[in-house]
Amino acid sequence: MSYEIVGITVLWLFLYGYLIVASIDFGAGFYAYFAKVSKQDHITNKLISRYLSPVWEVTNVFLVFFFVGIVGFFPSTAYYFGSALLVPASIAIVLLAIRGSFYAFENYGSKKSNTYMFLYGATGLLIPASLSVALILSEGGFITEEGGVVSLLYKTLFTSPLSWSIVVLAMVAVLYISASFLAYYASRANDQPALQLVRKWALFWSTPTIIMALTTMIALSQHNERHFENMLDLWWIFGLSVGSFLVAAGLLYMGRNYGTAFIAVMLQFFFAFFGYGMAQYPYLLYPYINIEDSVTNPSMAVALIVAFIGGLLLLVPSLILLMRLFLFDADYVKGKK
Amino acid sequence: MEFLDTVTLSRLITAMTLIFHIIFATLGVGVPLFISIAEFIGIKKKDKHYELLAKRWARGFVITVAIGVVTGTAIGLQLSLVWPNFMELAGNVIALPLFMEVFAFFFEAIFLGIYLYTWDRFKGKYTHWFLSIPVVIGAGMSAVFITTVNSFMNSPAGFTMVNGEFAAVNPLEAMFNPSSPTRILHVLGGSYVTVAAILATIAAIALLRKKGAAAYHKKALKMTVISIFVFSIFTAVAGDVSAKYLAKHQPEKLAAAEWHFETEENADLILFGWLNEENEPVGEIRLPGFLSFLAHGDFSSEVTGLNETPEDERPPLIIHYFFDLMVSIGLFLLGISFLYLVLSRFKRFNVHNRLMLWMLAASGPLAMLAVEFGWVFAELGRQPWILRGYMTVEEAATSSPYILHMFFLFLALYIVLGTLCVRTLRKLFKDNPVEVELEKHYPELSKGDESA
Ligand code: HDD
Ligand code: HEM
Ligand code: HEM
């Protein structure tokens, strides 16, 4: 395998990792607010905060890893995306900052005020929306380069059906992933009232997720035919994704095997995400950045891959320890520790 | 608005973010070390005071870490957003330490999460203490890696330039460029001394206020002042070596910092003062021959003057003050901690007198200022280069017209974060003072406190 394939595969994996862990976190924020407004917070909030407290920082590192890595492997992404994304990415930074720090302030500082709960819930949906702009740009047609100046075409961006369907897809997917995880977590804690509530949420959001996925495909076929055709060639991957969806929705509906159901949700997004990425190959930003031309020099690529393997050897055991202590330790989940 | 061009704004936005981030980054590097030391002493001496010290510091740390992480994420993204041309070029050479830094954060974040939520979950006391080690190492390593990136900007190495592109890249050589070793030591030392001083400030203020739990605060003060002493020696030595590095590799920075215009032997060290019309220092304190000593360790050696550098490549002369202030604060920290340690040997003398406590209370904010001055000196002293000798700041900046808006967006963000951070910390410790906590959790101890 060539360096650029290894590089992009690793980065895509991490972005996928972020997609899952961040969705759980973001969605939980929204649900915490929703539960409060609908006066159901006594049922769910303990569940939500017990999971979230120890892990939010780890979630953030997934994102940092991705953007540091992509600039490392493909330095010209810094030039194009960096120039074009100044405003959307700055907004995302501010939202992330509000969310992360308010979380610390409120949880360790004092009681939860309403403004805080609102901000926490709202940022949970706005961050995925603003981050998905990067994905939208990569489809091409939203950026111009004239006389060495890269600019973002805001009007095109805001009037494109593709942009809006990706943004909405990002938001509903967050709610769906998060609810199905919380259902699993509640079932481990054997917290029946919370379980019934979050299971309902998970089922509710599964339909819009699929509808938006289809809408996005249609919008994509209008906007970037090359990408769409490639996706059709990879139909089997998307078939696996749909299959996983059916398994997940079925189990959630029947109300059993929540662990398997959540794994099926993860697989559903795994297949869709990789199918989408593979169909975009060889472009990172259509038509400016092609991964073969933009990959960094071989010595840096090797160094990064070696560092990556070394890092994994360090991290995987530590992550397993973290999960055993907080995620899979039945007593902790049940609130006994 | 002539002076508010995109380049200036880009510099301002970067400077603002970094000046804000560095406060929390410094705390992030240093605080874990002291938490770890306090917990260790507590277990070893079976002294609950130290255990409580570790717990309370850790509680405050959670808040500052959060801001360190979010502002760090901001600066990490801003590097690409504000300096796209720089990152495109330099990314080819310097991506490795940036990448490794993330692993260091990752490692630190995981163990910090575990450490904070497992105070009473293990049987053996040392098991929990042991979890602090990866946090200390992770925090230290992230500082090491990011510092090599900054070093690279000052003394680029590990590549050859062919037609405006980097060729024959050697990532390890780029990482361990000529200024990395001295800078790493100085940055680490500076962080540890600063955090020791801040923690000493907290203890000193508590003693000045005479709120109770005096024994607890005295122990905290002793431990932190010893640390100030040790680490300020370390930092000063590393700073001296940094100056020798500058004399060799970036003579224009040292010359500008010292207002040293003519190359000469046995050069004088100039402290403070100002420049007259003819660019001659006035009202300064002159230490004969000391610049030669600072630069080469020999009073009669020759020191390159600023006039050797082409006029448009000279750093701004204002860095003189930043350098002098940093060094003065360094000497103050060394002096005050030495004084405290000497005086505490005399049993009859009350080291905890008001003057001493006031000076120790000042040391934390001063140390943090020294860090800021040091960075402003280092960064301004690199001007006009972003990558010394290869790319200027002007060539590197973004061309986006929205940079002004973003400046104000981030300014507002930092004001909000700063205010909330202070308010939360105050509330956290006010609502739960040491006395109360001692009473509640270690009733056997609070009795002894009154007499101490
Ligand atoms: C508490 C913090 C602190 C203290 C007490 C000192 N410094 Fe410092 N200094 C820093 C914190 C710092 C820093 C913030 O960490 C800098 C900024 C850039 C860098 O590499 O370290 C720095 C930079 C810096 C540089 C520039 C390196 C470069 O740009 O390449 C020199 C020459 C010195 N220092 C020298 C000294 C000397 C001789 C000191 C005598 C006591 C001293 N510093 C005290
Ligand atoms: C010598 C100067 C610096 C030091 C010592 C330093 C140290 C730190 C520390 C300790 C943290 C994490 C806070 C914590 O979790 O404890 C942090 C966060 C961060 N810093 Fe800095 N930093 C410095 C400058 C910079 C610069 C210039 C950049 C930009 C390239 C940067 C990028 C980051 C990023 C991306 C994070 C967030 C990582 C995460 O999400 O966990 N840092 N920094
Ligand atoms: C963490 C400690 C650091 C602090 C406090 C700091 C501080 C500053 C300051 C005050 C400026 C503005 C100087 C001016 O007005 O021109 C600046 C500029 C800059 N710094 Fe640093 N810096 C730090 C480390 C770094 C590192 C590690 C990097 C690289 C990854 C970096 C990259 C830059 C860039 C790109 C600029 C803008 C160009 C310039 O004005 O020189 N800085 N920094």
Side-chain angles (χ1 to χ4, degrees), chain B residues 22 147 150-151 154 179 182-184 186-191 193-194 232 235-246 250 253-254 294 323 326-331 333-334 366-379 381:
Chain B
I22 194 66
T147 306
N150 185 266
S151 302
N154 282 279
S179 71
T182 52
R183 195 180 296 264
I184 288 171
H186 195 53
V187 167
L188 279 180
S191 300
V193 76
T194 304
S232 61
T235 309
V237 172
D240 181 61
V241 188
S242 299
K244 295 188 172 32
Y245 148 80
L246 282 185
Q250 280 182 284
K253 196 193 264 188
L254 187 65
L294 182 69
F323 183 63
M326 169 182 68
V327 175
S328 310
I329 294 173
L331 296 178
L333 292 174
L334 187 62
L366 282 175
M368 195 53 94
L369 275 178
V371 170
E372 299 283 4
F373 292 152
W375 276 110
V376 175
F377 160 48
E379 300 290 312

Side-chain angles (χ1 to χ4, degrees), chain A residues 60 101 108 299-300 325 329, chain B residues 62 73 93 117 121 169 417 428:
Chain A
N60 194 51
S101 55
Y108 312 115
S299 49
M300 180 56 82
L325 283 171
D329 181 327
Chain B
V62 174
T73 310
V93 191
Y117 289 87
R121 258 176 95 174
V169 173
L417 287 185
L428 187 66

Side-chain angles (χ1 to χ4, degrees), chain A residues 53 57 60 65 67 72 75-76 79 82 86 90 93 101-102 104-105 108 110 149 296-297 299-300 315 325 329 337, chain B residues 62 66 69 73-74 77 80 85 88 92-93 95 99 103 106 114 117 121 169 399-400 406 417 420 424 427-428:
Chain A
S53 309
E57 242 194 295
N60 194 51
F65 184 98
F67 69 68
S76 40
Y79 175 65
L86 179 68
S90 294
I93 297 172
S101 55
F102 276 36
F105 295 153
Y108 312 115
S110 55
V149 176
T296 187
N297 52 76
S299 49
M300 180 56 82
L315 287 185
L325 283 171
D329 181 327
K337 275 189 187 165
Chain B
V62 174
V69 171
T73 310
L77 269 167
S80 296
N85 309 323
E88 186 183 23
N92 281 300
V93 191
F99 197 62
F103 279 113
F106 220 142
I114 299 178
Y117 289 87
R121 258 176 95 174
V169 173
S399 45
S400 170
M406 294 304 113
L417 287 185
L420 284 177
T424 314
K427 209 158 167 227
L428 187 66

Side-chain angles (χ1 to χ4, degrees), chain B residues 166-186:
Chain B
F166 289 144
V169 173
N170 180 342
L172 286 179
E173 209 183 312
M175 199 166 138
F176 297 105
N177 57 70
S179 71
S180 286
T182 52
R183 195 180 296 264
I184 288 171
L185 291 179
H186 195 53

